[in-house]
Amino acid sequence: MVEPFKNIYNDTFFNQFTAVLGKCIKGFDKKRFLKKIYDDAWEARELKQRMKHIAQVLHEFLPGQYDKNISLIKDIIIALRKEGISGGLEYMVFTEYVEAYGLEHYDISMQAMEFITQFISCEFAIRPFIIRYPEKAMKQMLLWSKHESLHVRRFSSEGCRPRLPWAMALPALKKDPSAILPILENLKDDTSEFVRKSVANNLNDIVKDNPDIVLGIVKRWQGVSPRTDWIIKHGSRTLLRKAHPQAMKLFGLAVADQIVIDKLKITDKSIGIGDTLHFSFDLTNSGKKPIKLRVEYGIDYMKSNGKGNRKLFKITENTYQPGQTYSFKRAQSFRNLTTRKHYAGQHTLAVVINGQELAVKKFTVTE
């Protein structure tokens, strides 16, 4: 069984964490701290709830004034780095602290997030500030997009994604993303892949509400550099998966009306949760010209409510010659993950070429 994410908060973490707190907080009482952490509701709390709880307990052990508390948190991060700790999901407790207690202290919180995000990203904590102080916060994000630290530059994009997963949405930016665009312009040819991936993901968020804006960016950025070309391609993936005509044309992907999918085979038409689905198929270009194809497969996963939910997986994107047949073999794990739970029932496997479903097979997943 997969270990739940919430168990990153374990004895090993707290022994390390409290040792550093003891060095930084005068009169720190480790025994009392852990007693408050491991309260009656601890086991029932999920990951996010545990983060919030730890931030609340930490608040009780800090002096009380927000500016002094932030100064101590900076000292704690410096001490953690001296111990060889370079951040990790569990240390998002610091970003939870800023989100919970810093909204009324704009300037101190902005300085704090600039520092903290170089240890652990503040992409979730910044969002209430963008909602409360939209103009000021987005101007600060624009300044951060030129920061010397790649972590701060990445934060300037990731923090203002309109639809950042597992975070509160930014309705105003979903409706009008114009404040985001100068930030992305500054980062479109960034030297860091970490930053560029965030730019692409931000574009992919924007495209869900404002496809024409992203298509305009694609036209302007296309050919600027190989790095920028990768960004716009990855940032247009939702449009490409939906076979949006203009997006397909911009990336040289034609309608796959002369492509034939044969011999779609599933090794086992019934698999158990935890097993792996093995399948294969042949692709033939029956036309007279080479054609550029985006080859994907989709699985309609059964949800808890008995309905299917399609997830697309890209295999490759290449040019395929006329009269040629190409064979593909793939495997897809049905092991439960913290991010995806599988349910028994009938599932569908589909081969998708340039956004078009060209072959389908049914299979069953059992308990």
Side-chain angles (χ1 to χ4, degrees):
M1 182 176 289
V2 178
E3 183 79 4
F5 267 176
K6 67 180 183 179
N7 288 347
I8 59 173
Y9 292 117
N10 51 34
D11 290 344
T12 301
F13 167 77
F14 283 117
N15 284 335
Q16 197 171 45
F17 190 50
T18 54
V20 173
L21 294 182
K23 295 177 182 178
C24 299
I25 301 173
K26 187 176 181 181
F28 177 74
D29 187 337
K30 175 182 177 179
K31 186 176 180 180
R32 188 167 71 90
F33 180 86
L34 291 177
K35 185 176 181 181
K36 285 183 172 290
I37 291 292
Y38 292 120
D39 63 6
D40 292 339
W42 175 257
E43 286 300 327
R45 290 188 180 98
E46 295 304 322
L47 177 63
K48 189 78 171 175
Q49 294 170 317
R50 288 187 176 187
M51 286 179 180
K52 288 181 180 294
H53 175 62
I54 297 167
Q56 291 166 357
V57 173
L58 179 61
H59 185 62
E60 295 182 37
F61 286 77
L62 293 172
Q65 294 180 324
Y66 184 70
D67 58 343
K68 291 184 178 179
N69 293 351
I70 288 298
S71 181
L72 269 173
I73 284 174
K74 290 179 179 179
D75 290 342
I76 293 166
I77 290 172
I78 291 169
L80 286 167
R81 282 183 170 140
K82 287 180 179 178
E83 294 293 326
I85 299 167
S86 56
L89 183 64
E90 56 268 47
Y91 290 102
M92 286 189 74
V93 64
F94 298 133
T95 76
E96 285 285 347
Y97 188 88
V98 175
E99 184 175 346
Y101 301 103
L103 200 54
E104 305 300 328
H105 308 275
Y106 177 86
D107 291 332
I108 296 171
S109 294
M110 287 292 144
Q111 293 169 15
M113 283 187 280
E114 181 177 345
F115 181 86
I116 294 170
T117 206
Q118 297 179 64
F119 180 72
I120 181 65
S121 179
C122 290
E123 63 207 52
F124 296 105
I126 188 67
R127 300 173 82 79
F129 292 86
I130 292 174
I131 292 172
R132 173 77 72 87
Y133 313 97
E135 291 187 15
K136 280 204 302 184
M138 290 305 290
K139 284 181 180 177
Q140 182 60 63
M141 299 291 264
L142 181 59
L143 290 173
W144 279 334
S145 70
K146 293 188 174 182
H147 201 278
E148 62 182 4
S149 166
L150 69 89
H151 297 285
V152 179
R153 296 198 306 276
R154 188 255 185 188
F155 170 51
S156 73
S157 167
E158 196 72 7
C160 64
R161 283 179 58 183
R163 292 172 172 267
L164 181 67
W166 306 301
M168 66 173 66
L170 299 174
L173 293 178
K174 285 167 66 176
K175 184 178 180 180
D176 178 12
S178 57
I180 303 173
L181 305 185
I183 295 169
L184 305 187
E185 285 286 347
N186 285 346
L187 301 174
K188 69 176 183 290
D189 199 27
D190 198 275
T191 55
S192 167
E193 182 181 358
F194 191 45
V195 175
R196 297 195 302 273
K197 186 173 182 180
S198 177
V199 175
N201 288 336
N202 203 322
L203 287 175
N204 195 52
D205 279 7
I206 294 170
V207 88
K208 294 170 184 176
D209 302 291
N210 300 275
D212 290 343
I213 289 176
V214 174
L215 287 168
I217 290 171
V218 170
K219 291 175 184 177
R220 291 199 311 274
W221 290 6
Q222 209 162 35
V224 169
S225 74
R227 293 189 290 224
T228 305
D229 284 344
W230 181 90
I231 287 173
I232 57 176
K233 186 67 169 293
H234 197 57
S236 300
R237 62 190 182 274
T238 293
L239 293 178
L240 294 173
R241 285 170 178 169
K242 293 180 177 180
H244 187 285
Q246 192 175 351
M248 299 289 281
K249 185 177 179 180
L250 284 168
F251 291 105
L253 297 167
V255 176
D257 54 3
Q258 294 181 322
I259 299 303
V260 177
I261 300 298
D262 282 324
K263 300 179 182 177
L264 175 57
K265 295 179 181 178
I266 295 176
T267 304
D268 298 301
K269 293 186 178 180
S270 179
I271 63 169
I273 294 173
D275 292 341
T276 299
L277 178 76
H278 296 272
F279 63 95
S280 61
F281 62 91
D282 288 347
L283 180 156
T284 302
N285 178 1
S286 65
K288 296 181 178 180
K289 294 181 180 179
I291 185 171
K292 186 177 179 182
L293 300 177
R294 181 184 177 93
V295 182
E296 299 173 294
Y297 66 94
I299 294 179
D300 294 333
Y301 287 100
M302 180 68 70
K303 299 195 293 184
S304 58
N305 62 6
K307 295 182 180 180
N309 180 44
R310 177 161 293 187
K311 172 71 175 175
L312 276 175
F313 301 90
K314 184 179 177 182
I315 297 176
T316 187
E317 186 173 306
N318 278 307
T319 299
Y320 294 84
Q321 300 302 317
Q324 297 292 313
T325 297
Y326 304 82
S327 296
F328 294 86
K329 288 184 178 180
R330 283 296 180 273
Q332 183 67 33
S333 173
F334 275 74
R335 180 171 57 90
N336 281 333
L337 305 171
T338 53
T339 53
R340 182 187 299 134
K341 185 176 180 180
H342 298 92
Y343 297 92
Q346 190 175 68
H347 289 56
T348 302
L349 169 71
V351 178
V352 180
I353 309 297
N354 285 4
Q356 297 173 258
E357 183 182 287
L358 296 187
V360 173
K361 282 279 187 182
K362 301 286 186 181
F363 63 99
T364 302
V365 175
T366 61
E367 293 289 354

